[in-house]
Structures are given as structure tokens and as C-alpha cells.
Amino acid sequence: MSTAAKPRRLIVASNRLPVVLSQHGEGGDWRLERGSGGLVTALEPVLRERGGVWIGWPGIEKGKVTNIDALLARSTAGQGYEVKGVDLTARQRDDFYLGFSNQVIWPLFHDLLTQCNFDPRFWKTYRNVNAQFASRIAGEVREGDFIWIHDYHLMAVARDLRSAGVAQPLGFFLHIPFPPLDLFLTLPWRYRILDSLLAFDLLGFQTARDRRNFLQCLEHMAPDVDVSGDGRVQFVTVGDRTVRVGVFPVSIDFDEFAVTAQSDDVSERVAGLRSEFLGRTMILGVDRLDYSKGIPHKLQGYRLALERYPDLRERVTLVQLVVPSREDIPEYFQMKEEVERLVGQIQGQFTRSGWVPIHYQYGRWDRTELIAHYRAAGIALVTPLKDGMNLVAKEYCASSLEGKGVLVLSEFAGASAQLQDHALLVNPHDVEGIADAIYRAFMMSTAEQQRRMQELRQIIRDTGMDWWVDTYLAAAAADGHGEFSDLETTRPQVPPGFLETEDDLQS
Ligand code: ADP
Ligand code: F6P
């Protein structure tokens, strides 16, 4: 890791911690499990390498366990950083985490207005939980620290930190997309959120599209602000303050995946998978259970591929892992039922003696199992309807040691801005397009697979986790203009014949 941007101690705050406490059975043992999701994957190596303090919610109700901090300290001993818990009551968890965060901001910021529940009670609890986080952070912070707040659960923390007298620089990074103006305008607390965000010194977004959406909201709703600059970091002048607004696509520790993919454990498991799938191409899907991941659309695309291209039958198998998530929200539970109904229909339609078209698993894999599947899969189907980044796409490429494999990627995943030239891009709403992309991936020559995969791996290696954190911290530094060019925006795949002249079409 580069040491250029290292001097400040990091105080990181996010709702999710690298470990989650859960109870096994009523009155059973408390266990610490690894937190899942892109935020933990991205931040854990940063804290491990740079040290600092990570403040967040350990996933349980206040009062269930005494002395959580001691338990958290034991679980992360030797990792090189400290973890501190913020206790939430059951009601706070319901209204702040399940409510405002995941039934207001999550659906709205993923362009799914009809899934939103704008219950005013949620906002009140969101405000007071953000204030609680702010006082926990204020109690930890020392002179010279850099405070880095993560994700949509904590957008209102900066104002409270300033009111508590915290003068250290404050950075924020949004792991999820930022919605377009017309959607953002539907949020009853739209001005309160914008106002809270502007109390940070640096706002980081995943893609140029997210930042453009944010700036359009700002320019429309607050015409007095002035926006300048046109590179990776732009400057917003609000009264006598300047807020930096930048684009920093989050990433993975490329080497960690590449090295683990070569380990004996993984290699052994890959050999097992290859003999299990002998002569068949494994198509892999790994998604948290979430309506934003487009799992039903993916399954419909796969079904259509099997209908439209009969030579795929018995020659491909879709291995789909669905990782449990936010199970107390009705839409998530309904999504599980919908996915399982579709899987059942596809099995019923195509299963033959000796071949089932889908290996479906609802659960978690350990690291070895996950990386072995990445390495063994000939095609990865990553087709979210909308996603801040999607680290599964990057992990698949980093683990593809043989340099083969095809990444089929949604143009609405943030990762597509970086990977679009070498992945097969699809519109996840277009099931025919997904079906055709599966067939194209299946038919692709080894030479083309290798050429594409090499390029993908190079991009991910060059803009890995070190690059992400260095670029962000350089932008936060007072004189940090750094390397701020080359912003990519996803371009849709242009269909053949589009805008050709009539003569062209007739010929
Ligand atoms: P999201 O943050 O929305 O869940 P991402 O694709 O960005 O989506 O990140 C998912 C992350 O969760 C990946 O880093 C992936 O490796 C990780 N993951 C997947 N399955 C598991 C699992 N069983 N346990 C822990 N992490 C997992
Ligand atoms: O990446 C978006 C995100 O909400 C992260 O903040 C979070 O770690 C991940 O998805 C999983 O969600 P949750 O924390 O609700 O389990």
C-alpha cells in the first residue's frame, strides 16, 4: 500500500461492521459472524492495513449483550484496528435500519419509488440514530484524525458532529447510487438530506452518473450554490465553504483474491467442481437477496436462453447463490418466494436424467467456496437492475486465474462504467438481451475470452482498493487535486441498424 496519504488516523463509521453478533436459537449462544456486503469487503482491508477505529452497529438489540465493546475487541484482536459498537433499541432498528434506510432511501436511490414507504416516524428515528452515531464518534476522535462516514444510513451525521464541536475534516462516501432529480424530488425530507450532505467536506460517489445526479439536484434545488471544476473532483461553493464532490469507484483487494484463488484449498475445490461439471459450462450468480439485484429477470433470461438455444441444454448449469438479507422486510421475503417459484418452474421445464439446469442455494458460502466457484465458472451473470458498484463482478475477474471466463454485466451496475469495453453489457430489463448474451458468452472463443479477461483484470488491478483509498484521501487533503481525469460513463449497447439512413436499411 502506498504511504503517500497515510498520516492521519482513520475514524470510520458505517452502519454495518465487519462482524455481526447473532444468537443461535432462543436463549442460545451469541456468535460473531463476518458481515456480508460490498461495504465490508471494501473497508475491512483498508482498516487492516492502515489501522484506526471502526464504529458501527453490531446487529443486535440494545441490552441483549452486556459489554459489546469487549466482545468486539476480542473478535478483531490482532487485525490492527479497533471496533466500537453503537447500541440500537429494537424500535431504532425497525425505524432507522429497516425503515428509513431500507424502505425509503434504499428503494428510492435504486430508482424504485413504488417500493418506498415514506412514514414520517422513520425520519425522526433516522435523525436521532445519526445523532447517536455522532456522539459516539465525537467521543473517539482525536486531533489530526480523518473522519470517514460511509453510506446512506449516516447521511445526517455531519451536522451533529459539527454541533458537537468536532472540527476535523469530514468525508462521506455513498456506496449506493444517487437518484435522478425527478425521483429525489419525491423525498419528503429532500432539503434536509441535501443540507446534511453539504456539511461534509468531501462527498464521494461511485460513478460520474451518480455525481451528475447529485449536482443536478443541488443546482435545481439550491440555485445559489456554485459548482466549478470538471475532473474527478468538483467544487461546490456554499456561502463561505467549499465542499469537494468526487467520483471514486470502490474496489477490492485484487491481490488477496488472486492469491487466495491459487491456494491449495481453493485449487482442490476447483478440481472438485470441474469434475462435477465435467463437459458443462458453469454459469455463476452470487447475489444478496434484494429486489435491486434483478434475480427474477436473470432467471427469466436464463429460461429464455434454454428455450431459444436448445444446444445450451445439458451443456450449461446455472449455479445461483442467494445470500440472506434484510429478511424482516416483507418485500425481501416476497422476493425469496418469487425467486424460488421461478427456479422450480425452470427445473420442472428442463430437468433431464443426469442434468438439472439450476443449482440454487439460499445461504452463505465461506471464502474458499466462493472463490473456488468464481475460478471454476465459465460465465458470471451479474445483472442488477441498479447497483452502486457490484463487487461480485470484480471478484469474479480477480479470481479467474486461467484468464478465461466471460463477465455478463448489467449496464446499471456502477462497475459497468469501468468494465464496459471488455464485459458483455446487458440491459437487465431486457430478458431477450440476457438470453442472447448468455449464448454469446457460451459460444465465445477461448482467445476472445482471454483477451477480454486480461483487460478486465488489468483495470481492476490498476484501480484496486489501494487506488480507491489513496485517491479519496488525496482529494480530501487541502491541496489534493491528484489525478483527476478520465471519468467513464456507461454507454448503452447500440443495436445494429440504429439511426442508419433509410438507404442503408434498404440495402
Ligand atoms: P452488495 O453490497 O449490495 O451486497 P456487492 O456485489 O457489491 O453487493 O457485494 C457483495 C459482497 O458480499 C461481495 O464482496 C461478496 O464477496 C460478499 N459475499 C458474498 N457472499 C458472501 C458470504 N456468504 N459471506 C460473506 N460475504 C459474502
Ligand atoms: O453496499 C450497500 C450495502 O447497503 C452496504 O451498506 C451493506 O453492507 C450491504 O449493502 C449489505 O446490506 P446490509 O448492511 O443491510 O446487510
Side-chain angles (χ1 to χ4, degrees), residues 136-206:
R136 189 72 160 105
I137 298 164
E140 291 295 331
V141 82
R142 297 201 298 250
E143 176 124 13
D145 288 345
F146 179 72
I147 304 172
W148 196 1
I149 309 293
H150 288 262
D151 231 355
Y152 59 103
H153 314 84
L154 301 179
M155 290 187 287
V157 151
R159 288 244 171 264
D160 293 318
L161 281 169
R162 292 297 183 222
S163 315
V166 170
Q168 279 79 352
L170 294 178
F172 176 79
F173 185 78
L174 185 66
H175 289 250
I176 66 173
F178 197 90
L181 172 64
D182 285 353
L183 283 175
F184 188 72
L185 284 175
T186 63
L187 180 66
W189 307 277
R190 57 206 178 172
Y191 276 100
R192 310 288 295 276
I193 292 287
L194 267 196
D195 183 61
S196 307
L197 287 173
L198 289 173
F200 287 98
D201 298 304
L202 171 62
L203 296 172
F205 295 92
Q206 298 272 29

Side-chain angles (χ1 to χ4, degrees), residues 34-39 41 106 257 286 288 293 321 323 363-367 370 374 387 389-393 395:
R34 192 187 147 91
S36 53
L39 181 144
T41 302
W106 179 272
F257 278 90
V286 175
R288 225 170 12 84
K293 300 288 181 187
L321 174 70
V323 181
R364 293 171 201 279
W365 285 340
D366 65 20
R367 211 100 181 122
L370 179 68
Y374 285 149
D387 213 332
M389 176 55 52
N390 197 291
L391 293 183
V392 165
E395 292 170 4

